[in-house]
């Protein structure tokens, strides 16, 4: 039988390269003692400056008992970012490229049984031109940040070297309310020196552990052979896995035996379900329409980076459940198996994806690593009933128009459909992808990342955009894969405005956007960006460094922002009352607006013990205008009533004479809250004229990267935009043309600025 031995404890760590560290007899006594999971970027990865990207080393002693000799021994890493070289007793076992999937090495021949072995692991989070992601709006935390295990098996076992999978795939051939026809595909390995006759057996058990059906087959597997064997199973009148209503799980107990010996065994939870997406009516699970009220999740948190454990993941799930979400986009990479298990158990519909994001490699045009990560994602997660969408790219168009990018996207879709024809492929397009572009028609369904009301336009622009897209592509199933706004709980305003970073503006935007989305029945899903604040080292916005603050919950999971409760009011059946702007304590106005989010049918407001007014049937948002404040402390209470039950919330407002300056985000010399890296030039006297732009000169049609390669053109850019190439966020836009970025920041890249850039750039011939 297989043994799984966790070896998370008792490691040594060195935050630098040390080539001799691979050797068994190397002295690591001076190294730091650590336990896994571990990252070396927990602090510097979110400081808004550069963080350590490079080689670090881990070492660990372990013993394999003498009685295990003759068996197979594997080392398993569940997540190590991003290039990992593994040595046992000085022998190099291999290298894994990619920071998010499970990978294993066969260490049988390197192990010394009954004595001390040394496992040395070299981990490098340097961005290189052969591993994805290349660039993204999140921190690439380095380290062995998930579990490490030793697995010991018999020579005949389920394949452990099949892209990190279990070697067993439960294929849902045909599922209905009447029956579930299953194909159980296994990959058996015989590493004996002789042929072996074995019996493959599968028991399908219900949630109570009782067997409902079984399947068996006799197999002769040759020496050294890896053999695919399929078993057929039928569940009559199955209990369907039905999302949050009833996430019912069966269990497949799969074993391989020889005579009376059980050689290997796996226990795999799974659920049976069927689903579809309709371009007009949205998502259907088991024949019934299910609105996918979605949030996106990154896996890191404050002071921990990616090195989180089960407790942190359980807390994340509880918060996602509380808000009433029915779907999660697990962005932008493969997440921990434990979290996919949670999604299975809690009934979340999952979009799982790979980090083929923002920019394709500059010199490798086949997408080799992206394809590897796609296969790993699918094979390792094939049996999770919660996963219904495989994501093949996110905003890969940021890197510019390149035929090789389109080719790889198509090939990733082909691989996805070949690996798993039972699920739907999808992608998240950047906003400037035209509605007629072929990117809309490659995958089964499609999403768009749109930030009306934050990076461009106003929240109300969503309505026309959605209607126009749907009119042009009525047969395309569309979702909104990202939307949102920054919200920093320190900042507040009675008159919130775009990019003021206030908690009030974030909540107001989500109010407006959700009202629009509710009325667009053709949307198959919407995903708030993001459920939680997360590390993004290139950022420095609103006075907060190294972080994306679009979360509905703070980075440390301590504070639920007002926007959290806005969605809870619309999505959750758990009754509650929440007074907004409770952190906006000091008020200078005589009269204020008090806003309450609640899913109760009626809310009554009290101030300083006196009943003020009741409101009913306000579509989850109860607004009380002209609430008079007395000097000093005011106690506001909101009371909700639902089916005779009472729910309440309290807020304290302090009437003061002077505005509390800490409530305002820092502003630059032009009044923009978002921090600039340059001083805007005075272009008030510029007269815009027509310019003839030809293909042999530089212009705003060029990417920033192109311009920066020419010293003369670079000087023009710096003249008007400062040393933007030295700013951390430059990595996010370097592959975009100035024309494209101008649509995101029209206040900077206005007509006069674009004219002056072109006036001088077009004087410079391309090399």
């Amino acid at each position: 039988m297989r043994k799984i031995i966790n070896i998370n404890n008792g490691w040594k760590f060195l935050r630098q390269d040390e080539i001799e560290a691979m050797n068994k007899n190397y002295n690591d006594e001076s190294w730091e003692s650590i336990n896994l999971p571990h990252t070396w970027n927990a602090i510097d990865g979110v400081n808004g400056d550069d963080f350590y990207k490079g080689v670090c080393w881990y070492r660990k002693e372990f013993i394999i008992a003498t009685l295990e000799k003759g068996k197979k021994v594997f080392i398993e890493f569940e997540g190590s970012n991003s290039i990992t070289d593994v040595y046992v007793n000085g022998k190099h076992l291999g290298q894994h490229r990619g920071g998010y999937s499970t990978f294993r090495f066969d260490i049988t021949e390197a192990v010394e049984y009954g004595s001390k072995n040394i496992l040395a692991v070299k981990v490098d989070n340097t961005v290189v031109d052969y591993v994805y992601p290349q660039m993204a709006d999140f921190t690439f935390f380095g380290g062995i940040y998930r579990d490490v295990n030793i697995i010991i098996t018999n020579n005949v076992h389920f394949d452990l070297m099949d892209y990190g999978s279990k070697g067993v795939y439960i294929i849902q051939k045909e599922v209905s309310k009447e029956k579930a026809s299953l194909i159980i595909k296994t990959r058996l390995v015989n590493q004996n020196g002789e042929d072996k006759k074995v019996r493959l057996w599968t028991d399908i058990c219900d949630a109570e552990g009782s067997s409902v059906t079984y399947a068996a087959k006799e197999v002769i597997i040759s020496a050294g052979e890896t053999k695919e064997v399929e078993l057929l199973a039928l569940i009559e009148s199955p209990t369907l896995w039905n999302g949050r209503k009833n996430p019912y799980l069966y269990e497949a107990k799969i074993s391989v035996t020889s005579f009376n010996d059980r050689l290997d065994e796996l226990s795999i939870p799974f659920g049976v379900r069927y689903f579809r997406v309709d371009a007009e009516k949205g998502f259907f699970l088991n024949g019934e329409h299910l609105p996918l009220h979605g949030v996106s999740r990154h896996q890191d948190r404050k002071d921990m980076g990616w090195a989180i454990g089960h407790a942190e993941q359980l807390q994340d799930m509880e918060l996602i459940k509380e808000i009433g979400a029915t779907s999660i986009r697990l962005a932008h990479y493969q997440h921990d198996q434990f979290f996919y298990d949670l999604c299975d158990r809690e009934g979340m519909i999952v979009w799982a994806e790979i980090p083929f994001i923002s920019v394709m490699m500059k010199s490798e045009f086949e997408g080799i690593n992206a394809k590897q990560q796609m296969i790993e994602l699918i094979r390792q997660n094939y049996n999770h009933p919660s996963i219904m969408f495989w994501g093949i790219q996110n905003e890969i168009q940021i890197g510019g128009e390149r035929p090789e990018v389109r080719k790889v996207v198509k090939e990733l879709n082909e691989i996805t459909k070949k690996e798993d024809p039972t699920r739907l492929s999808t992608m998240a397009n950047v906003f400037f992808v035209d509605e007629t572009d072929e990117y809309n028609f490659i995958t089964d369904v499609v999403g768009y990342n749109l930030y009306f009301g934050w990076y461009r336009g106003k929240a109300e622009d969503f309505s026309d955009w959605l209607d126009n897209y749907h009119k042009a592509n009525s047969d395309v199933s569309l979702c909104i894969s990202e939307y949102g706004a920054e919200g920093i709980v320190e900042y507040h305003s009675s008159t919130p405005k775009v990019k003021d970073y206030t908690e009030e503006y974030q909540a107001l935007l989500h109010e407006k956007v959700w009202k629009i989305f509710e009325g667009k029945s053709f949307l198959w899903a919407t995903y708030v960006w993001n459920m939680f604040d997360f590390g993004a080292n290139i950022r420095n916005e609103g006075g907060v460094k190294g972080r994306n603050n679009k979360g509905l919950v703070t980075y440390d999971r301590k504070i639920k922002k007002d926007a959290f409760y806005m969605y809870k009011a619309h999505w959750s059946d758990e009754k509650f009352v929440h007074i907004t702007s409770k952190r906006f304590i000091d008020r200078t106005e005589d009269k204020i607006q008090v806003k309450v989010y609640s899913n109760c049918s009626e809310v009554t407001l009290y101030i300083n013990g006196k009943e003020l007014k009741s409101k009913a049937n306000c579509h989850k948002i109860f607004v009380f205008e002209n609430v008079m404040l007395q000097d000093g402390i005011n106690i506001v209470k909101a009371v909700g009533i639902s089916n005779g039950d009472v729910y309440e919330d309290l807020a304290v407002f302090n009437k003061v004479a002077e505005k509390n300056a800490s409530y305002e985000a820092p502003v630059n010399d032009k009044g923009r809250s978002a921090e600039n890296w340059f001083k805007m030039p005075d272009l008030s006297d510029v007269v815009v004229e027509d310019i003839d732009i030809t293909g042999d000169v530089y212009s705003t049609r060029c990417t920033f990267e192109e311009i920066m390669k020419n010293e003369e053109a670079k000087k023009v850019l710096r003249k008007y935009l400062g040393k933007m190439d030295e700013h951390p966020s430059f990595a996010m836009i370097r592959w975009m043309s100035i024309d494209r970025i101008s649509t995101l920041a029209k206040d900077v890249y206005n007509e006069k600025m674009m004219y002056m850039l072109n006036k001088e750039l077009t004087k410079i011939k391309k090399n």
Side-chain angles (χ1 to χ4, degrees):
M1 287 292 293
R2 89 170 45 188
K3 296 178 182 177
I4 301 176
I5 305 164
N6 180 268
I7 57 169
N8 279 1
N9 294 332
W11 289 72
K12 290 285 193 172
F13 171 72
L14 182 68
R15 184 171 155 146
Q16 65 184 52
D17 195 4
E18 176 56 76
I19 190 65
E20 297 300 320
M22 70 179 70
N23 297 324
K24 181 176 181 179
N25 296 323
Y26 177 86
N27 187 343
D28 59 17
E29 288 183 1
S30 63
W31 289 21
E32 180 184 356
S33 296
I34 59 106
N35 296 324
L36 304 181
H38 177 263
T39 175
W40 60 77
N41 298 127
I43 305 302
D44 72 348
V46 290
N47 63 10
D49 297 314
D50 200 15
F51 61 102
Y52 182 78
K53 295 184 286 290
V55 172
C56 292
W57 282 87
Y58 296 84
R59 284 169 58 91
K60 162 78 179 173
E61 293 184 7
F62 68 98
I63 296 175
I64 303 295
T66 304
L67 60 83
E68 306 294 359
K69 197 168 185 178
K71 296 182 180 179
K72 303 300 294 183
V73 185
F74 300 86
I75 189 77
E76 175 184 75
F77 294 80
E78 295 185 8
S80 178
N81 192 50
S82 60
I83 305 166
T84 306
D85 287 272
V86 178
Y87 302 80
V88 172
N89 298 328
K91 182 179 180 179
H92 186 232
L93 276 302
Q95 181 185 85
H96 182 263
R97 297 176 176 182
Y100 310 96
S101 55
T102 296
F103 60 93
R104 307 182 184 107
F105 295 111
D106 185 340
I107 64 174
T108 308
E109 299 303 318
V111 167
E112 297 174 7
Y113 294 88
S115 61
K116 181 178 73 174
N117 296 275
I118 297 294
L119 170 63
V121 186
K122 174 185 174 184
V123 184
D124 187 352
N125 67 333
T126 305
V127 177
V128 294
D129 200 35
Y130 52 85
V131 179
Y132 284 103
Q134 293 285 285
M135 180 271 289
D137 188 17
F138 58 90
T139 300
F140 302 164
F141 294 91
I144 305 176
Y145 67 93
R146 294 186 191 145
D147 291 356
V148 176
N149 304 299
I150 290 173
I151 304 175
I152 302 173
T153 72
N154 284 292
N155 285 299
V156 176
H157 57 268
F158 296 110
D159 191 2
L160 284 161
M161 301 303 291
D162 178 31
Y163 286 88
S165 75
K166 293 182 180 296
V168 175
Y169 303 90
I170 301 172
I171 303 169
Q172 303 191 24
K173 184 179 179 182
E174 182 182 353
V175 176
S176 67
K177 294 175 182 177
E178 290 73 38
K179 65 178 182 179
S181 299
L182 307 175
I183 299 173
I184 300 165
K185 184 173 78 172
T186 66
R187 288 174 56 93
L188 282 177
V189 176
N190 179 10
Q191 293 182 292
N192 278 319
E194 59 184 26
D195 297 353
K196 193 80 172 176
K197 181 180 179 181
V198 298
R199 169 174 286 189
L200 191 63
W201 187 282
T202 299
D203 265 318
I204 305 294
C205 300
D206 61 19
E208 287 72 43
S210 300
S211 179
V212 296
T213 189
Y214 68 91
K217 183 176 285 189
E218 301 285 346
V219 178
I220 296 176
I221 182 168
S222 303
E225 181 183 12
T226 298
K227 189 170 190 173
E228 286 194 358
V229 183
E230 292 185 353
L231 300 177
L232 302 180
L234 178 66
I235 304 175
E236 299 281 2
S237 302
T239 301
L240 299 179
W241 187 93
N242 200 30
R244 294 197 64 184
K245 286 183 180 178
N246 185 22
Y248 190 90
L249 294 175
Y250 290 92
E251 186 176 26
K253 297 180 178 179
I254 307 168
S255 62
V256 54
T257 60
S258 177
F259 299 103
N260 291 337
D261 294 328
R262 184 161 289 188
L263 304 180
D264 201 6
E265 182 179 52
L266 288 172
S267 181
I268 300 175
F270 72 98
V272 293
R273 74 287 184 270
Y274 59 98
F275 61 93
R276 66 184 177 90
V277 174
D278 185 279
E280 286 292 339
K281 299 178 181 179
F283 179 80
F284 288 78
L285 178 62
N286 303 326
E288 297 181 2
H289 181 254
L290 175 64
L292 294 188
H293 299 156
V295 294
S296 300
R297 173 187 181 258
H298 269 294
Q299 64 188 356
D300 60 308
R301 69 168 59 198
K302 189 176 186 296
D303 298 332
M304 299 180 76
W306 288 344
I308 61 173
H310 290 181
E312 289 75 29
Q313 296 179 72
L314 285 164
Q315 184 186 25
D316 281 4
M317 179 57 76
E318 288 304 309
L319 288 163
I320 292 170
K321 286 167 56 183
E322 181 186 345
I323 205 173
T326 56
S327 184
I328 310 174
R329 182 184 177 201
L330 291 175
H332 286 300
Y333 39 74
Q334 184 169 330
H335 286 231
D336 194 332
Q337 282 296 313
F338 182 76
F339 201 82
Y340 293 113
D341 290 340
L342 283 179
C343 292
D344 294 342
R345 298 203 303 262
E346 300 295 347
M348 294 292 174
I349 310 298
V350 172
W351 167 330
E353 63 188 58
I354 60 168
F356 190 52
I357 175 173
S358 302
V359 175
M360 186 176 169
M361 295 171 186
K362 291 180 283 187
S363 59
E364 197 281 290
F365 299 153
E366 297 302 316
I368 294 170
N369 186 252
K371 293 170 183 175
Q372 169 205 310
Q373 293 196 51
M374 194 79 242
I375 295 172
E376 288 174 333
L377 176 73
I378 295 172
R379 294 196 185 184
Q380 292 175 26
N381 296 283
Y382 193 93
N383 300 316
H384 290 291
S386 57
I387 298 176
M388 301 189 192
F389 305 96
W390 298 122
I392 66 172
Q393 68 89 1
N394 179 80
E395 297 187 347
I396 198 63
Q397 305 93 352
I398 285 177
E401 179 52 50
R402 297 168 61 187
E404 58 268 24
V405 176
R406 292 179 180 271
K407 175 177 175 288
V408 170
V409 169
K410 292 174 185 176
E411 290 171 349
L412 283 169
N413 187 65
E414 291 167 3
I415 288 170
T416 298
K417 299 308 293 182
K418 180 181 178 182
E419 287 285 323
D420 183 10
T422 72
R423 291 179 172 92
L424 299 176
S425 61
T426 188
M427 66 169 77
N429 288 330
V430 72
F431 77 94
F432 55 68
V433 172
D434 189 79
E435 63 195 20
T436 62
D437 195 293
E438 66 174 338
Y439 278 120
N440 293 287
F441 317 113
I442 294 172
T443 48
D444 296 319
V445 297
V446 72
Y448 266 77
N449 298 345
L450 297 174
Y451 287 92
F452 292 119
W454 187 248
Y455 293 125
R456 61 199 298 256
K458 56 187 184 299
E460 291 81 0
D461 293 339
F462 269 104
S463 187
D464 286 345
W465 189 95
L466 289 168
D467 288 343
N468 291 336
Y469 182 97
H470 187 57
K471 183 178 179 180
N473 297 314
S474 59
D475 57 343
V476 173
S477 295
L478 173 69
C479 87
I480 298 301
S481 38
E482 289 183 22
Y483 67 100
E486 302 267 331
I488 299 174
V489 296
E490 183 176 341
Y491 305 142
H492 302 282
S493 174
S494 299
T495 56
K497 299 179 180 65
V498 62
K499 289 191 177 180
D500 65 5
Y501 294 89
T502 62
E503 189 174 11
E504 285 74 24
Y505 182 77
Q506 183 192 39
L508 182 62
L509 177 132
H510 282 289
E511 285 179 26
K512 293 178 177 180
V513 173
W514 181 246
K515 186 175 181 181
I516 293 168
F517 289 170
E518 277 188 305
K520 309 299 182 185
S521 59
F522 55 83
L523 287 173
W524 62 264
T526 56
Y527 292 95
V528 176
W529 191 260
N530 196 284
M531 182 66 193
F532 308 104
D533 292 347
F534 59 91
N537 199 264
I538 64 172
R539 285 182 173 260
N540 183 359
E541 292 190 66
V544 179
K545 292 184 176 182
R547 193 178 303 175
N548 188 311
N549 296 289
K550 293 186 183 69
L552 304 179
V553 179
T554 54
Y555 196 24
D556 57 9
R557 277 54 168 181
K558 299 291 186 183
I559 300 174
K560 303 165 189 172
K561 303 177 190 179
D562 284 343
F564 174 97
Y565 292 97
M566 199 287 300
Y567 284 107
K568 183 176 179 179
H570 285 86
W571 294 352
S572 176
D573 293 328
E574 177 190 354
K575 298 301 179 184
F576 77 99
V577 171
H578 173 77
I579 301 172
T580 69
S581 298
K582 281 190 285 191
R583 283 169 281 274
F584 188 8
I585 296 172
D586 294 337
R587 304 293 188 105
T588 58
E589 306 98 319
D590 294 328
K591 297 178 181 179
I592 66 170
Q593 179 195 83
V594 176
K595 185 188 296 182
V596 178
Y597 295 144
S598 179
N599 50 13
C600 294
S601 56
E602 182 179 336
V603 172
T604 302
L605 197 71
Y606 297 81
I607 183 164
N608 300 321
K610 296 180 181 179
E611 181 177 335
L612 183 65
K613 193 174 184 180
S614 295
K615 285 180 175 285
N617 303 316
C618 292
H619 196 59
K620 319 298 184 183
I621 303 171
F622 299 79
V623 179
F624 298 86
E625 301 285 2
N626 299 317
V627 177
M628 183 74 71
L629 297 182
Q630 65 185 21
D631 289 342
I633 299 298
N634 295 262
I635 307 297
V636 173
K637 181 170 73 170
V639 177
I641 300 174
S642 181
N643 297 322
D645 294 322
V646 176
Y647 306 85
E648 63 180 51
D649 192 26
L650 288 175
V652 177
F653 299 117
N654 183 29
K655 176 71 162 47
V656 295
E658 300 291 333
K659 183 182 292 187
N660 188 331
S662 70
Y663 290 162
E664 291 188 12
V667 295
N668 65 22
D669 60 339
K670 292 297 179 182
R672 296 177 68 240
S673 298
E675 188 175 352
N676 266 335
W677 54 80
F678 64 94
K679 185 175 181 179
M680 286 283 289
D682 183 4
L683 303 177
S684 57
D685 295 332
V686 170
V687 177
V688 176
E689 300 175 352
D690 291 336
I691 297 176
D692 182 30
I693 302 176
T694 57
D696 60 341
V697 297
Y698 287 95
S699 71
T700 58
R701 297 172 185 173
C702 297
T703 66
F704 289 99
E705 177 78 358
E706 289 178 90
I707 293 171
M708 287 297 173
K709 288 180 179 178
N710 181 287
E711 285 300 318
E712 193 177 355
K714 180 179 177 179
K715 288 179 181 177
V716 173
L717 213 59
R718 283 189 164 187
K719 175 181 176 181
Y720 291 98
L721 299 173
K723 295 182 179 180
M724 62 180 305
D725 53 305
E726 296 180 1
H727 192 272
S729 62
F730 179 68
M732 283 297 295
I733 65 169
R734 63 186 300 172
W735 304 105
M736 298 177 72
S737 69
I738 301 177
D739 283 349
R740 280 182 176 175
I741 201 67
S742 70
T743 64
L744 285 171
K746 292 181 179 178
D747 50 347
V748 174
Y749 299 87
N750 53 46
E751 185 182 26
K752 291 184 177 181
M753 172 71 81
M754 298 294 280
Y755 168 73
M756 290 305 298
L757 286 170
N758 279 318
K759 182 179 179 180
E760 298 197 29
L761 286 172
T762 52
K763 296 176 182 177
I764 306 168
K765 291 279 187 179
K766 291 183 178 179
N767 296 331

